[in-house]
Amino acid sequence: MGDGAELRALSAVFGERLAGLPVVANKSQLGHSLGASSVLELMIAVEGMQEGVVLPTLNHVADPTLPKAFISPRPSPTSTGSRC
């Protein structure tokens, strides 16, 4: 339920552009580490941006009722290849 709510919120902000934006959820790799998970996800996301890599989201199952987003099961280079 949380993933769907987050995708709907992103879709409300970005509209159809969401389909081309990388969306990453590292909780599938980190587990539930309570309040620390947000800090860990931020650090990992920043590292991915610095390296020009879209980080993977493990165990994602696409839901056709939710907005489309670029969610990768494995690391991939950013579309521009640029770094922050």
Side-chain angles (χ1 to χ4, degrees):
M1 289 176 58
D3 292 344
E6 291 170 0
L7 275 175
R8 284 188 287 278
L10 288 170
S11 180
V13 172
F14 295 106
E16 291 183 13
R17 293 178 296 158
L18 177 61
L21 298 175
V23 176
V24 177
N26 303 105
K27 186 170 41 175
S28 62
Q29 300 161 11
L30 302 172
H32 291 275
S33 51
L34 300 175
S37 64
S38 296
V39 173
L40 292 170
E41 286 194 42
L42 175 63
M43 293 182 336
I44 291 169
V46 168
E47 180 73 16
M49 289 188 289
Q50 289 176 333
E51 296 299 321
V53 174
V54 175
L55 299 170
T57 299
L58 303 179
N59 306 316
H60 172 71
V61 177
D63 182 340
T65 66
L66 296 175
K68 290 189 188 249
F70 176 70
I71 301 173
S72 178
R74 59 192 154 280
S76 59
T78 59
S79 59
T80 63
S82 63
R83 299 177 179 203
C84 290

